[in-house]
């Protein structure tokens, strides 16, 4: 079990670009560039895991997960703000909890 865990950790560290600072505009630019490169070579209809995207972006899969969550929050807000009935209905279908606030009873 420990050997598999160590191999997994080594794989993650091999993918990460250690020459870029862990925070700041250089890191953001590197992640943006990596995602753009993946987008340029990705085949239509092929899905990539967070680990694969992270390898392209030179960061961890946790960073990709956070980017995905932020993007979904922005998308939900923009769809609901549009007040287009078709968009609102589609958003409610795909994101049933989009209009609810955490910790607030209905």
């Amino acid at each position: 079990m420990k050997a598999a865990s160590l191999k997994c950790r080594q794989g993650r560290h091999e993918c990460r670009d250690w020459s870029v600072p862990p925070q700041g505009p250089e890191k953001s630019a590197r992640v943006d560039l990596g995602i753009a490169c993946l987008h340029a070579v990705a085949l239509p209809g092929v899905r990539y895991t967070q680990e694969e995207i992270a390898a392209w972006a030179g960061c961890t899969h946790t960073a990709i997960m956070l980017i995905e969550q932020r993007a979904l929050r922005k998308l939900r807000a923009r769809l609901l703000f549009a007040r287009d009935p078709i968009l609102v209905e589609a958003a409610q279908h795909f994101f049933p909890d989009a209009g609810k606030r955490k910790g607030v009873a209905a």
Side-chain angles (χ1 to χ4, degrees), residues 15-41:
C15 295
R16 188 163 176 207
D17 186 357
W18 292 98
S19 66
V20 177
Q23 295 177 344
E26 296 89 4
K27 180 64 177 181
S28 296
R30 172 65 179 94
V31 170
D32 291 345
L33 177 63
I35 292 172
C37 290
L38 176 59
H39 178 70
V41 300

Side-chain angles (χ1 to χ4, degrees), residues 24-76:
E26 296 89 4
K27 180 64 177 181
S28 296
R30 172 65 179 94
V31 170
D32 291 345
L33 177 63
I35 292 172
C37 290
L38 176 59
H39 178 70
V41 300
L43 299 173
V46 176
R47 293 182 180 216
Y48 293 91
T49 64
Q50 290 176 346
E51 287 80 12
E52 292 170 328
I53 298 168
W56 275 89
C59 61
T60 63
H61 76 281
T62 306
I64 298 300
M65 180 181 65
L66 294 173
I67 292 169
E68 179 184 17
Q69 289 173 349
R70 261 186 262 132
L72 286 173
R73 275 196 302 268
K74 286 181 180 180
L75 178 63
R76 288 178 192 136

